[in-house]
mmCIF file of all heavy atoms in Angstrom:
data_model
loop_
_atom_site.group_PDB
_atom_site.id
_atom_site.type_symbol
_atom_site.label_atom_id
_atom_site.label_comp_id
_atom_site.label_asym_id
_atom_site.label_seq_id
_atom_site.Cartn_x
_atom_site.Cartn_y
_atom_site.Cartn_z
ATOM 1 N N GLY A 1 -11.234 -14.793 34.380
ATOM 2 C CA GLY A 1 -10.432 -14.275 35.475
ATOM 3 C C GLY A 1 -10.962 -14.722 36.817
ATOM 4 O O GLY A 1 -11.982 -15.421 36.913
ATOM 5 N N PRO A 2 -10.291 -14.324 37.897
ATOM 6 C CA PRO A 2 -10.675 -14.761 39.249
ATOM 7 C C PRO A 2 -12.113 -14.427 39.632
ATOM 8 O O PRO A 2 -12.766 -15.221 40.313
ATOM 9 C CB PRO A 2 -9.672 -14.027 40.143
ATOM 10 C CG PRO A 2 -8.479 -13.799 39.274
ATOM 11 C CD PRO A 2 -9.033 -13.554 37.909
ATOM 12 N N ALA A 3 -12.610 -13.267 39.213
ATOM 13 C CA ALA A 3 -13.980 -12.885 39.587
ATOM 14 C C ALA A 3 -14.993 -13.854 38.979
ATOM 15 O O ALA A 3 -15.955 -14.254 39.639
ATOM 16 C CB ALA A 3 -14.278 -11.454 39.144
ATOM 17 N N LEU A 4 -14.770 -14.244 37.727
ATOM 18 C CA LEU A 4 -15.671 -15.186 37.065
ATOM 19 C C LEU A 4 -15.588 -16.558 37.720
ATOM 20 O O LEU A 4 -16.604 -17.235 37.911
ATOM 21 C CB LEU A 4 -15.336 -15.278 35.576
ATOM 22 C CG LEU A 4 -16.303 -16.084 34.701
ATOM 23 C CD1 LEU A 4 -17.669 -15.412 34.643
ATOM 24 C CD2 LEU A 4 -15.736 -16.252 33.294
ATOM 25 N N ASP A 5 -14.374 -16.957 38.093
ATOM 26 C CA ASP A 5 -14.191 -18.243 38.758
ATOM 27 C C ASP A 5 -14.924 -18.265 40.101
ATOM 28 O O ASP A 5 -15.496 -19.290 40.493
ATOM 29 C CB ASP A 5 -12.700 -18.526 38.982
ATOM 30 C CG ASP A 5 -11.955 -18.761 37.682
ATOM 31 O OD1 ASP A 5 -12.579 -19.228 36.717
ATOM 32 O OD2 ASP A 5 -10.748 -18.457 37.629
ATOM 33 N N TYR A 6 -14.897 -17.132 40.808
ATOM 34 C CA TYR A 6 -15.621 -17.052 42.076
ATOM 35 C C TYR A 6 -17.118 -17.264 41.857
ATOM 36 O O TYR A 6 -17.772 -17.988 42.626
ATOM 37 C CB TYR A 6 -15.388 -15.693 42.757
ATOM 38 C CG TYR A 6 -16.429 -15.406 43.813
ATOM 39 C CD1 TYR A 6 -16.358 -16.020 45.064
ATOM 40 C CD2 TYR A 6 -17.523 -14.589 43.540
ATOM 41 C CE1 TYR A 6 -17.334 -15.805 46.019
ATOM 42 C CE2 TYR A 6 -18.513 -14.366 44.494
ATOM 43 C CZ TYR A 6 -18.411 -14.969 45.725
ATOM 44 O OH TYR A 6 -19.393 -14.777 46.656
ATOM 45 N N GLU A 7 -17.671 -16.617 40.826
ATOM 46 C CA GLU A 7 -19.106 -16.759 40.538
ATOM 47 C C GLU A 7 -19.461 -18.229 40.321
ATOM 48 O O GLU A 7 -20.486 -18.723 40.809
ATOM 49 C CB GLU A 7 -19.490 -15.939 39.307
ATOM 50 C CG GLU A 7 -19.209 -14.454 39.397
ATOM 51 C CD GLU A 7 -20.213 -13.690 40.237
ATOM 52 O OE1 GLU A 7 -21.153 -14.311 40.780
ATOM 53 O OE2 GLU A 7 -20.049 -12.468 40.365
ATOM 54 N N GLU A 8 -18.601 -18.930 39.596
ATOM 55 C CA GLU A 8 -18.863 -20.345 39.319
ATOM 56 C C GLU A 8 -18.822 -21.169 40.606
ATOM 57 O O GLU A 8 -19.671 -22.044 40.828
ATOM 58 C CB GLU A 8 -17.845 -20.867 38.311
ATOM 59 C CG GLU A 8 -18.182 -22.226 37.750
ATOM 60 C CD GLU A 8 -17.398 -22.568 36.509
ATOM 61 O OE1 GLU A 8 -16.325 -21.982 36.279
ATOM 62 O OE2 GLU A 8 -17.871 -23.422 35.731
ATOM 63 N N ALA A 9 -17.867 -20.863 41.463
ATOM 64 C CA ALA A 9 -17.773 -21.592 42.734
ATOM 65 C C ALA A 9 -18.988 -21.313 43.611
ATOM 66 O O ALA A 9 -19.481 -22.206 44.313
ATOM 67 C CB ALA A 9 -16.490 -21.190 43.465
ATOM 68 N N SER A 10 -19.493 -20.082 43.561
ATOM 69 C CA SER A 10 -20.622 -19.717 44.421
ATOM 70 C C SER A 10 -21.891 -20.487 44.051
ATOM 71 O O SER A 10 -22.769 -20.683 44.897
ATOM 72 C CB SER A 10 -20.882 -18.206 44.341
ATOM 73 O OG SER A 10 -21.397 -17.832 43.079
ATOM 74 N N LEU A 11 -21.980 -20.940 42.807
ATOM 75 C CA LEU A 11 -23.141 -21.732 42.396
ATOM 76 C C LEU A 11 -23.192 -23.075 43.119
ATOM 77 O O LEU A 11 -24.270 -23.617 43.347
ATOM 78 C CB LEU A 11 -23.137 -21.940 40.881
ATOM 79 C CG LEU A 11 -23.686 -20.782 40.058
ATOM 80 C CD1 LEU A 11 -23.342 -20.956 38.585
ATOM 81 C CD2 LEU A 11 -25.197 -20.651 40.238
ATOM 82 N N LEU A 12 -22.026 -23.595 43.468
ATOM 83 C CA LEU A 12 -21.993 -24.848 44.236
ATOM 84 C C LEU A 12 -22.625 -24.625 45.605
ATOM 85 O O LEU A 12 -23.400 -25.451 46.093
ATOM 86 C CB LEU A 12 -20.557 -25.342 44.379
ATOM 87 C CG LEU A 12 -19.883 -25.819 43.086
ATOM 88 C CD1 LEU A 12 -18.388 -26.023 43.310
ATOM 89 C CD2 LEU A 12 -20.526 -27.114 42.608
ATOM 90 N N PHE A 13 -22.311 -23.484 46.224
ATOM 91 C CA PHE A 13 -22.911 -23.149 47.518
ATOM 92 C C PHE A 13 -24.419 -22.985 47.392
ATOM 93 O O PHE A 13 -25.197 -23.493 48.204
ATOM 94 C CB PHE A 13 -22.275 -21.869 48.064
ATOM 95 C CG PHE A 13 -22.948 -21.335 49.297
ATOM 96 C CD1 PHE A 13 -22.708 -21.915 50.532
ATOM 97 C CD2 PHE A 13 -23.834 -20.277 49.227
ATOM 98 C CE1 PHE A 13 -23.335 -21.433 51.683
ATOM 99 C CE2 PHE A 13 -24.462 -19.786 50.353
ATOM 100 C CZ PHE A 13 -24.211 -20.368 51.594
ATOM 101 N N ALA A 14 -24.841 -22.271 46.341
ATOM 102 C CA ALA A 14 -26.276 -22.025 46.148
ATOM 103 C C ALA A 14 -27.048 -23.321 45.948
ATOM 104 O O ALA A 14 -28.218 -23.423 46.321
ATOM 105 C CB ALA A 14 -26.492 -21.101 44.952
ATOM 106 N N SER A 15 -26.391 -24.314 45.358
ATOM 107 C CA SER A 15 -27.057 -25.590 45.108
ATOM 108 C C SER A 15 -27.028 -26.508 46.333
ATOM 109 O O SER A 15 -27.547 -27.624 46.281
ATOM 110 C CB SER A 15 -26.407 -26.297 43.915
ATOM 111 O OG SER A 15 -25.081 -26.673 44.211
ATOM 112 N N GLY A 16 -26.392 -26.046 47.422
ATOM 113 C CA GLY A 16 -26.345 -26.851 48.650
ATOM 114 C C GLY A 16 -25.144 -27.758 48.754
ATOM 115 O O GLY A 16 -25.022 -28.524 49.721
ATOM 116 N N ASP A 17 -24.234 -27.670 47.775
ATOM 117 C CA ASP A 17 -23.039 -28.513 47.804
ATOM 118 C C ASP A 17 -21.931 -27.765 48.553
ATOM 119 O O ASP A 17 -21.007 -27.211 47.954
ATOM 120 C CB ASP A 17 -22.600 -28.836 46.370
ATOM 121 C CG ASP A 17 -21.418 -29.809 46.320
ATOM 122 O OD1 ASP A 17 -20.951 -30.237 47.393
ATOM 123 O OD2 ASP A 17 -20.942 -30.105 45.201
ATOM 124 N N ASN A 18 -22.038 -27.747 49.874
ATOM 125 C CA ASN A 18 -21.096 -26.965 50.677
ATOM 126 C C ASN A 18 -19.676 -27.532 50.627
ATOM 127 O O ASN A 18 -18.706 -26.774 50.542
ATOM 128 C CB ASN A 18 -21.589 -26.904 52.125
ATOM 129 C CG ASN A 18 -22.938 -26.210 52.224
ATOM 130 O OD1 ASN A 18 -23.080 -25.050 51.861
ATOM 131 N ND2 ASN A 18 -23.951 -26.935 52.709
ATOM 132 N N LYS A 19 -19.555 -28.847 50.668
ATOM 133 C CA LYS A 19 -18.220 -29.457 50.570
ATOM 134 C C LYS A 19 -17.612 -29.179 49.190
ATOM 135 O O LYS A 19 -16.406 -28.918 49.080
ATOM 136 C CB LYS A 19 -18.303 -30.956 50.844
ATOM 137 C CG LYS A 19 -18.622 -31.300 52.295
ATOM 138 C CD LYS A 19 -18.652 -32.804 52.530
ATOM 139 C CE LYS A 19 -18.934 -33.125 53.992
ATOM 140 N NZ LYS A 19 -18.996 -34.590 54.245
ATOM 141 N N GLY A 20 -18.454 -29.250 48.158
ATOM 142 C CA GLY A 20 -17.966 -28.968 46.814
ATOM 143 C C GLY A 20 -17.523 -27.521 46.667
ATOM 144 O O GLY A 20 -16.520 -27.227 46.001
ATOM 145 N N ALA A 21 -18.252 -26.597 47.307
ATOM 146 C CA ALA A 21 -17.898 -25.176 47.259
ATOM 147 C C ALA A 21 -16.548 -24.943 47.928
ATOM 148 O O ALA A 21 -15.708 -24.183 47.425
ATOM 149 C CB ALA A 21 -18.985 -24.343 47.930
ATOM 150 N N ILE A 22 -16.331 -25.610 49.063
ATOM 151 C CA ILE A 22 -15.053 -25.475 49.772
ATOM 152 C C ILE A 22 -13.916 -26.035 48.930
ATOM 153 O O ILE A 22 -12.846 -25.408 48.798
ATOM 154 C CB ILE A 22 -15.120 -26.185 51.138
ATOM 155 C CG1 ILE A 22 -16.087 -25.442 52.067
ATOM 156 C CG2 ILE A 22 -13.726 -26.285 51.773
ATOM 157 C CD1 ILE A 22 -16.479 -26.224 53.307
ATOM 158 N N ALA A 23 -14.133 -27.198 48.337
ATOM 159 C CA ALA A 23 -13.093 -27.824 47.509
ATOM 160 C C ALA A 23 -12.747 -26.953 46.304
ATOM 161 O O ALA A 23 -11.567 -26.778 45.964
ATOM 162 C CB ALA A 23 -13.555 -29.202 47.055
ATOM 163 N N LYS A 24 -13.775 -26.385 45.661
ATOM 164 C CA LYS A 24 -13.548 -25.524 44.503
ATOM 165 C C LYS A 24 -12.806 -24.258 44.922
ATOM 166 O O LYS A 24 -11.874 -23.816 44.232
ATOM 167 C CB LYS A 24 -14.890 -25.159 43.858
ATOM 168 C CG LYS A 24 -14.778 -24.275 42.621
ATOM 169 C CD LYS A 24 -14.136 -25.005 41.465
ATOM 170 C CE LYS A 24 -14.178 -24.164 40.193
ATOM 171 N NZ LYS A 24 -13.520 -24.832 39.049
ATOM 172 N N ALA A 25 -13.200 -23.686 46.058
ATOM 173 C CA ALA A 25 -12.526 -22.484 46.549
ATOM 174 C C ALA A 25 -11.061 -22.777 46.856
ATOM 175 O O ALA A 25 -10.168 -21.994 46.494
ATOM 176 C CB ALA A 25 -13.244 -21.954 47.783
ATOM 177 N N ASP A 26 -10.796 -23.900 47.505
ATOM 178 C CA ASP A 26 -9.409 -24.269 47.823
ATOM 179 C C ASP A 26 -8.587 -24.460 46.554
ATOM 180 O O ASP A 26 -7.416 -24.059 46.489
ATOM 181 C CB ASP A 26 -9.386 -25.548 48.668
ATOM 182 C CG ASP A 26 -9.735 -25.298 50.129
ATOM 183 O OD1 ASP A 26 -9.587 -24.146 50.576
ATOM 184 O OD2 ASP A 26 -10.177 -26.242 50.804
ATOM 185 N N GLN A 27 -9.198 -25.083 45.548
ATOM 186 C CA GLN A 27 -8.504 -25.303 44.274
ATOM 187 C C GLN A 27 -8.128 -23.961 43.634
ATOM 188 O O GLN A 27 -6.988 -23.782 43.167
ATOM 189 C CB GLN A 27 -9.412 -26.091 43.329
ATOM 190 C CG GLN A 27 -8.854 -26.256 41.920
ATOM 191 C CD GLN A 27 -9.949 -26.635 40.916
ATOM 192 O OE1 GLN A 27 -10.954 -27.228 41.279
ATOM 193 N NE2 GLN A 27 -9.756 -26.258 39.662
ATOM 194 N N LEU A 28 -9.054 -23.014 43.636
ATOM 195 C CA LEU A 28 -8.797 -21.709 43.022
ATOM 196 C C LEU A 28 -7.769 -20.911 43.826
ATOM 197 O O LEU A 28 -6.898 -20.248 43.255
ATOM 198 C CB LEU A 28 -10.099 -20.920 42.897
ATOM 199 C CG LEU A 28 -11.119 -21.493 41.906
ATOM 200 C CD1 LEU A 28 -12.465 -20.782 42.042
ATOM 201 C CD2 LEU A 28 -10.602 -21.364 40.464
ATOM 202 N N LEU A 29 -7.860 -20.981 45.136
ATOM 203 C CA LEU A 29 -6.899 -20.274 45.985
ATOM 204 C C LEU A 29 -5.492 -20.825 45.790
ATOM 205 O O LEU A 29 -4.507 -20.070 45.768
ATOM 206 C CB LEU A 29 -7.318 -20.376 47.452
ATOM 207 C CG LEU A 29 -8.546 -19.552 47.848
ATOM 208 C CD1 LEU A 29 -9.080 -19.995 49.207
ATOM 209 C CD2 LEU A 29 -8.209 -18.064 47.865
ATOM 210 N N ALA A 30 -5.395 -22.148 45.630
ATOM 211 C CA ALA A 30 -4.079 -22.774 45.431
ATOM 212 C C ALA A 30 -3.498 -22.422 44.065
ATOM 213 O O ALA A 30 -2.301 -22.155 43.942
ATOM 214 C CB ALA A 30 -4.200 -24.296 45.587
ATOM 215 N N SER A 31 -4.342 -22.400 43.025
ATOM 216 C CA SER A 31 -3.845 -22.181 41.664
ATOM 217 C C SER A 31 -3.628 -20.697 41.345
ATOM 218 O O SER A 31 -2.767 -20.345 40.538
ATOM 219 C CB SER A 31 -4.803 -22.796 40.637
ATOM 220 O OG SER A 31 -6.069 -22.161 40.686
ATOM 221 N N GLN A 32 -4.400 -19.829 42.011
ATOM 222 C CA GLN A 32 -4.334 -18.403 41.666
ATOM 223 C C GLN A 32 -3.555 -17.566 42.672
ATOM 224 O O GLN A 32 -3.212 -16.416 42.394
ATOM 225 C CB GLN A 32 -5.752 -17.843 41.509
ATOM 226 C CG GLN A 32 -6.502 -18.471 40.343
ATOM 227 C CD GLN A 32 -7.957 -18.023 40.260
ATOM 228 O OE1 GLN A 32 -8.473 -17.367 41.164
ATOM 229 N NE2 GLN A 32 -8.622 -18.375 39.174
ATOM 230 N N GLY A 33 -3.291 -18.110 43.842
ATOM 231 C CA GLY A 33 -2.476 -17.407 44.829
ATOM 232 C C GLY A 33 -3.038 -16.034 45.174
ATOM 233 O O GLY A 33 -4.236 -15.890 45.437
ATOM 234 N N GLU A 34 -2.181 -15.028 45.172
ATOM 235 C CA GLU A 34 -2.579 -13.672 45.555
ATOM 236 C C GLU A 34 -3.560 -13.050 44.554
ATOM 237 O O GLU A 34 -4.189 -12.043 44.866
ATOM 238 C CB GLU A 34 -1.345 -12.776 45.697
ATOM 239 C CG GLU A 34 -0.494 -13.099 46.916
ATOM 240 C CD GLU A 34 -1.274 -12.978 48.222
ATOM 241 O OE1 GLU A 34 -1.944 -11.955 48.419
ATOM 242 O OE2 GLU A 34 -1.206 -13.917 49.039
ATOM 243 N N ASN A 35 -3.664 -13.623 43.365
ATOM 244 C CA ASN A 35 -4.600 -13.095 42.367
ATOM 245 C C ASN A 35 -6.027 -13.611 42.555
ATOM 246 O O ASN A 35 -6.948 -13.145 41.890
ATOM 247 C CB ASN A 35 -4.120 -13.462 40.950
ATOM 248 C CG ASN A 35 -2.827 -12.757 40.587
ATOM 249 O OD1 ASN A 35 -2.622 -11.599 40.943
ATOM 250 N ND2 ASN A 35 -1.944 -13.459 39.892
ATOM 251 N N ALA A 36 -6.204 -14.578 43.451
ATOM 252 C CA ALA A 36 -7.528 -15.166 43.666
ATOM 253 C C ALA A 36 -8.476 -14.123 44.259
ATOM 254 O O ALA A 36 -8.065 -13.192 44.959
ATOM 255 C CB ALA A 36 -7.423 -16.372 44.592
ATOM 256 N N ASP A 37 -9.742 -14.298 43.977
ATOM 257 C CA ASP A 37 -10.761 -13.394 44.499
ATOM 258 C C ASP A 37 -10.927 -13.632 45.998
ATOM 259 O O ASP A 37 -11.180 -14.752 46.441
ATOM 260 C CB ASP A 37 -12.090 -13.652 43.778
ATOM 261 C CG ASP A 37 -13.118 -12.564 44.015
ATOM 262 O OD1 ASP A 37 -13.343 -12.209 45.186
ATOM 263 O OD2 ASP A 37 -13.707 -12.068 43.028
ATOM 264 N N ALA A 38 -10.791 -12.565 46.791
ATOM 265 C CA ALA A 38 -10.877 -12.688 48.247
ATOM 266 C C ALA A 38 -12.218 -13.242 48.707
ATOM 267 O O ALA A 38 -12.325 -13.841 49.788
ATOM 268 C CB ALA A 38 -10.624 -11.334 48.900
ATOM 269 N N ARG A 39 -13.255 -13.071 47.897
ATOM 270 C CA ARG A 39 -14.583 -13.554 48.285
ATOM 271 C C ARG A 39 -14.630 -15.069 48.430
ATOM 272 O O ARG A 39 -15.566 -15.620 49.013
ATOM 273 C CB ARG A 39 -15.629 -13.075 47.275
ATOM 274 C CG ARG A 39 -15.868 -11.572 47.305
ATOM 275 C CD ARG A 39 -16.822 -11.140 46.221
ATOM 276 N NE ARG A 39 -16.270 -11.389 44.883
ATOM 277 C CZ ARG A 39 -16.958 -11.247 43.758
ATOM 278 N NH1 ARG A 39 -18.232 -10.892 43.797
ATOM 279 N NH2 ARG A 39 -16.372 -11.471 42.601
ATOM 280 N N LEU A 40 -13.619 -15.762 47.883
ATOM 281 C CA LEU A 40 -13.561 -17.213 48.061
ATOM 282 C C LEU A 40 -13.479 -17.579 49.542
ATOM 283 O O LEU A 40 -14.028 -18.594 49.966
ATOM 284 C CB LEU A 40 -12.378 -17.798 47.292
ATOM 285 C CG LEU A 40 -12.505 -17.773 45.761
ATOM 286 C CD1 LEU A 40 -11.157 -18.080 45.115
ATOM 287 C CD2 LEU A 40 -13.562 -18.764 45.285
ATOM 288 N N TYR A 41 -12.791 -16.760 50.338
ATOM 289 C CA TYR A 41 -12.713 -17.028 51.780
ATOM 290 C C TYR A 41 -14.082 -16.828 52.435
ATOM 291 O O TYR A 41 -14.457 -17.573 53.338
ATOM 292 C CB TYR A 41 -11.681 -16.109 52.431
ATOM 293 C CG TYR A 41 -10.260 -16.437 52.055
ATOM 294 C CD1 TYR A 41 -9.564 -15.651 51.140
ATOM 295 C CD2 TYR A 41 -9.610 -17.533 52.615
ATOM 296 C CE1 TYR A 41 -8.260 -15.945 50.788
ATOM 297 C CE2 TYR A 41 -8.299 -17.842 52.262
ATOM 298 C CZ TYR A 41 -7.628 -17.048 51.345
ATOM 299 O OH TYR A 41 -6.333 -17.348 50.995
ATOM 300 N N ARG A 42 -14.829 -15.832 51.974
ATOM 301 C CA ARG A 42 -16.175 -15.630 52.508
ATOM 302 C C ARG A 42 -17.079 -16.802 52.119
ATOM 303 O O ARG A 42 -17.895 -17.270 52.923
ATOM 304 C CB ARG A 42 -16.752 -14.317 51.969
ATOM 305 C CG ARG A 42 -18.083 -13.925 52.590
ATOM 306 C CD ARG A 42 -18.554 -12.576 52.064
ATOM 307 N NE ARG A 42 -18.826 -12.638 50.631
ATOM 308 C CZ ARG A 42 -19.065 -11.550 49.886
ATOM 309 N NH1 ARG A 42 -19.028 -10.343 50.424
ATOM 310 N NH2 ARG A 42 -19.333 -11.676 48.600
ATOM 311 N N LEU A 43 -16.915 -17.277 50.883
ATOM 312 C CA LEU A 43 -17.684 -18.435 50.421
ATOM 313 C C LEU A 43 -17.380 -19.658 51.284
ATOM 314 O O LEU A 43 -18.288 -20.396 51.680
ATOM 315 C CB LEU A 43 -17.354 -18.717 48.951
ATOM 316 C CG LEU A 43 -18.074 -19.888 48.297
ATOM 317 C CD1 LEU A 43 -19.570 -19.627 48.201
ATOM 318 C CD2 LEU A 43 -17.508 -20.154 46.897
ATOM 319 N N LYS A 44 -16.097 -19.851 51.605
ATOM 320 C CA LYS A 44 -15.723 -20.957 52.487
ATOM 321 C C LYS A 44 -16.328 -20.772 53.871
ATOM 322 O O LYS A 44 -16.792 -21.733 54.486
ATOM 323 C CB LYS A 44 -14.199 -21.062 52.585
ATOM 324 C CG LYS A 44 -13.518 -21.596 51.338
ATOM 325 C CD LYS A 44 -12.006 -21.656 51.508
ATOM 326 C CE LYS A 44 -11.610 -22.654 52.575
ATOM 327 N NZ LYS A 44 -10.139 -22.726 52.756
#
């Protein structure tokens, strides 16, 4: 679900891949719409 997907995206940020984290967050926001985890915006 969206919460698990957010956790996976956050690992990109933790590893220093900031552009990758943004790209992953955008991909999830586009595919999941209103169901996406709001924390993706904080991650971005």
Side-chain angles (χ1 to χ4, degrees):
L4 188 66
D5 292 332
Y6 162 77
E7 301 283 1
E8 191 164 22
S10 70
L11 278 167
L12 292 169
F13 172 78
S15 66
D17 185 1
N18 298 300
K19 290 182 178 179
I22 292 166
K24 181 68 173 178
D26 282 338
Q27 174 198 333
L28 293 170
L29 288 166
S31 63
Q32 295 174 351
E34 289 301 311
N35 293 322
D37 193 310
R39 292 175 296 172
L40 290 167
Y41 290 104
R42 187 177 64 190
L43 180 65
K44 288 179 65 180

